[in-house]
Amino acid sequence: MITVLIILALVVIINALTLSQLGKQVRRQQRQLDLLCEQTGNPALSSTYLSEETGAKAARLKAAGDIGAAVKAVREDTILDLLEAKQYVDKP
């Protein structure tokens, strides 16, 4: 019984590590695609493209002091993670 639990735990750990590596690879590929979009003059196809409407909404929320809602608006319109969205909202 203990052997089965140990083997099961090892399988779970290996799967978690594999998923983490795959996630990193997907993010790296997405950054490459985003760069290609910008270089080919198609920034609206980029996963980090923020519509003017959402950009204005985030700016209004930031000006009103609601940084959390501004970050949430940016994250909903893009695939930016929490840190990247916060950095976007914080830039002047």
Side-chain angles (χ1 to χ4, degrees):
M1 181 70 171
I2 293 176
T3 305
V4 173
L5 290 176
I6 292 172
I7 291 172
L8 184 60
L10 288 173
V11 169
V12 169
I13 291 170
I14 291 170
N15 283 339
L17 292 173
T18 302
L19 286 175
S20 175
Q21 290 171 343
L22 288 174
K24 289 177 184 177
Q25 184 177 2
V26 167
R27 284 190 295 277
R28 187 171 39 252
Q29 289 174 340
Q30 188 62 55
R31 283 192 296 267
Q32 290 172 338
L33 287 171
D34 291 343
L35 182 61
L36 283 171
C37 289
E38 291 176 20
Q39 290 175 345
T40 59
N42 296 301
L45 298 177
S46 171
S47 63
T48 59
Y49 175 77
L50 192 63
S51 68
E52 289 182 23
E53 178 183 324
T54 304
K57 178 181 177 182
R60 282 193 311 274
L61 290 167
K62 179 182 175 184
D66 197 352
I67 302 295
V71 170
K72 182 177 180 182
V74 170
R75 290 193 72 200
E76 288 174 348
D77 202 34
T78 66
I79 66 161
L80 296 177
D81 64 24
L82 182 61
L83 179 61
E84 292 168 329
K86 175 78 166 80
Q87 290 170 342
Y88 177 86
V89 169
D90 286 343
K91 73 178 182 180

